[in-house]
Every structure is written in C-alpha cells, then in structure tokens.
Amino acid sequence: MTSQLDPTTAVDVLRQLHDQLGPVDPDARAIVGLQATGPGAVTLVDVTMQENGILEAPDGSDGLVVVTSEDVAAEDEAEVVTLQQLVCVLRGGAEVGVYRVADGDDVAAWSTADPDDLDAQALRPRDAAANTARRAFGLPSLVDVPPVTDLYARTWLLAVTGEAVERFDAADGPREVDPAELAEVAGRPPLGDGLDPTTATWDDVHRHAREGTLELGPFTVDPAHADWLDAAGLAQVLDRTLPSTEQLLATLHVVGDDDLLAWAIGWLTERAWYQPG
C-alpha cells in the first residue's frame, strides 16, 4: 500500500506540530499516526503499542510521526549536539523531518524524497522509537549494528557474573570468587546450543529469537516481537537491554580480585569477543 500523504504536506504538518508542541523534553519519545483526509489535509490517529513491543499502525494510516532526539557529532566533530526532531515515516518508505538544535531557535527540514537533499540520510534518526515506526510499516530498521561478538561477550559475562555473585554471597558471609569455580559455567554455549560462536551472524541470532530458542540468561525475547523486528532491529533491542561489557566486568571485579578480572578478559580476548580499551 502506498501512502496517500505526499512528503511536502508531511513537512508542513510537522512544522505545525513543532510550533504547537513548543519545547519538548529531550528524553521524550512519542509516536502518532497521520491519515490523509483530502488534498493537503490530514488528521492525527492513535496507534497501539502491544505489551511485547509490537506497534500496530491503524489501517488507512499514511504516516507515523515520531517525536525524538539524538546526539550527533557537530560539523567539526569536536563536540556533540542534541538534535530534537519530528520525523514522519510514510507508508511507502519515504521519510521527512524537521529538526532544531536543542536550545536553538532555527528549524530546518529534510526529506529522503528530495534527490537534492544530501543531508537527509545522515539526519534520519537511528533510535528505537524511529525504528519502531519503520517496522510498523514493514520497513527496514536503521541501526549502527554492533558486531555479533559483542553479544557473545555480554551473554557469556551474564552467565559467569551471575554464578560469581551467587558464590560471593555465601551463607557464612561474602568471599572472593576464584576463576576455577567458574570453569563449568564459562564453558557453556553463551547463546544456547545451535549457535556456533565462530560463525554466527545477526541473522542466525534473529532466527533463534523468532523460534524461541535464544538463551540470554535472565533476559528473554518474545518470539512474536522478534519475528516483527528485522535482524538489525533485534540487535538494537538487545544492545539496549543487556548490561554492557564494562558493567559486567566491573561486577566481576567486585566479587573477585584482579586475577578474576584478568581471567575473564583473557577468556574474551582469546575468542575475539572483546577488545579492551
């Protein structure tokens, strides 16, 4: 289904919404539908977000407006600035947006439908809210996908750290954990059987998530949500959900000592799952 809402009208609507909303909290995220009602005329329509994260775009909606903000590098790349954006994802795949620098007054627009707009691709937001809107129309996510080895590092550390914390909290009081105590859990496949750490790709991880066979320790992925996402979108969800490698290593250091931390880093680097900074 193609959109009945043209990009020029969508930009005009975004400018009006920008003026009506006024200052927006940079942490605010919102999605609302747009439906064309006549030449140059639209109406706002509600959208439904299921508990598992699937966004339902109403039948007949022509676009989804996303209120979002992103930190981006300035032109000289010497500093980071916050861009506050209103973006409209059109059902046919085109995107338009209006944006301003946080605390600034000037509002500019971009459109992927304009072949002369050389900045449009760079300005398209890559955050989860924008990608949720894209997936509601079956469009590909726009994500700077981390290497799949990062997922292996974090899930391996989740298992090892969880075991270490249990042993640290001994019945007779806290005690430092020795690496030898963690050998058994360290040798388990980080994401479960069927995923070879030496060859697995995000497509493989996505397939296992859709089938409900992806193991993430205490974390879970709803198979229906995984099926609704594409592989890049799933990578973004997992990147936002799982504790970082640095957080998990810091926890290990608390329950062990320098030897435990060195053992964990050595295990990861030996498998090329982690490159210490």
Side-chain angles (χ1 to χ4, degrees), residues 18-88:
H18 176 273
D19 293 341
Q20 293 169 8
L21 288 173
V24 175
D25 185 332
D27 294 327
R29 299 291 184 273
I31 302 176
V32 66
L34 282 183
Q35 185 171 347
T37 57
V42 300
T43 186
L44 299 178
V45 293
D46 290 332
V47 297
T48 301
M49 179 75 80
Q50 298 181 8
E51 291 185 1
N52 62 0
I54 294 176
L55 179 71
E56 297 179 4
D59 293 339
S61 58
D62 297 293
L64 291 169
V65 173
V66 183
V67 179
T68 188
S69 297
E70 281 194 321
D71 293 333
V72 299
E75 288 185 3
D76 59 5
E77 298 187 354
E79 62 177 327
V80 173
V81 298
T82 299
L83 292 186
Q84 297 187 332
Q85 292 213 55
L86 285 172
V87 179
C88 183

Side-chain angles (χ1 to χ4, degrees), residues 8-24:
T8 300
T9 300
V11 169
D12 290 341
V13 170
L14 293 182
R15 288 187 179 278
Q16 293 175 37
L17 286 174
H18 176 273
D19 293 341
Q20 293 169 8
L21 288 173
V24 175

Side-chain angles (χ1 to χ4, degrees), residues 164 167 175-183 255-257 259-260 263:
R167 292 177 179 272
R175 64 176 183 82
E176 289 188 349
V177 179
D178 186 88
E181 301 177 64
L182 307 178
V255 301
D257 55 16
D259 288 343
L260 182 62
W263 168 79

Side-chain angles (χ1 to χ4, degrees), residues 143-154:
V143 183
D144 297 323
V145 180
V148 73
T149 50
D150 179 68
L151 178 64
Y152 271 98
R154 290 157 80 172

